[in-house]
Amino acid sequence: MKPFAYERPVDVSSAVTTVAGRPEASFLAGGTNLVDLMKMEVLTPELLVDVRHLVSRRIETLPGGGLRIGAGVSNNELAADRRIRRRYPVLSQALLAGASYQLRNLATVGGNFLQRTRCPYFRDVTMPCNKREPGTGCAARDGHQRDLAVLGASDSCVATHPSDMAVAMAALDAVVHTVGPAGERSIQVNELYRSPADGPERDTVLERGELITAVELPASPVAATSRYRKVRDRASYAFALVSVAAALEVRDGSVTEVRLALGGVAHKPWRAATAERALLGRPATEANFRAAAEAELAAAQALAGNAFKVPLARNTVVSMLRTLTEEA
């Protein structure tokens, strides 16, 4: 690991100013992803600015019934919170599916959104990677393709986003709150991530020095019936080949409300808006579930090595919706 400096600023404003003014600086919270990448010299910041003590570690109930989650809350703290388990079970389940207990103790909510891809070519500094070094090419397209994206990819990058938590947050219409050099702003999770066609080296729309401070979950009665399902090569600590975050309300045999998001298939948590529109007001039947999933995946552009993800995603969506219907 290359030498680096460490600072522990006294407030958020100082941290933002420092990182905004120094291109070689990075925010440090739990460090569970950043430190790994530094060890492999994939990332080589010269300065780490510790913000774990600056952002809130509280989970607060909002007047309208939603929750505000401080960016410093650990993944374990969030997964174990009774309000989360009761009102947003999909989020608790996604977090518990994401990593070992030890990692979840360190990993923060804010950092979880900003994980870098686990694409092996991004993490191998001997291979070309447009995400790591813009303009060098994408070795993944002609290499090992099993874990790559089938939705939203581009010629320059076919990497997937690794977060389980972010998939659940996307389904729940979560809003990320930030502080940056230009002040505060709020960003829908579904709008947080950039298309790889617009420059794969930048994962998100965050500006230089912009810091996630909190996440807000809106009140949502249907979220109480939500579930998360993760399909992976092994049950312990593997990243998703496909995952589904879903919530469903059925009345008189028809779908009156639905939330769907997919993981492991795109550069970001993929909100399945096309499938949602296809389901609303329709009978809650397996045939309609399958048709909605196929409509969502119609735009998939699979490679030879990951084409299995398309039927796998379709079948997982159908299975999840069937389960939720039976529970309802």
Side-chain angles (χ1 to χ4, degrees), residues 269-288:
W270 189 269
R271 182 66 180 265
T274 299
E276 290 177 352
R277 288 192 296 268
L279 287 168
L280 276 176
R282 302 292 302 281
T285 64
E286 183 160 338
N288 285 338

Side-chain angles (χ1 to χ4, degrees), residues 131-150:
K131 187 174 284 293
R132 189 182 64 250
E133 294 182 67
T136 58
C138 177
R141 295 193 68 87
D142 297 314
H144 181 71
Q145 300 170 342
R146 180 173 173 78
D147 300 318
L148 302 181
V150 296

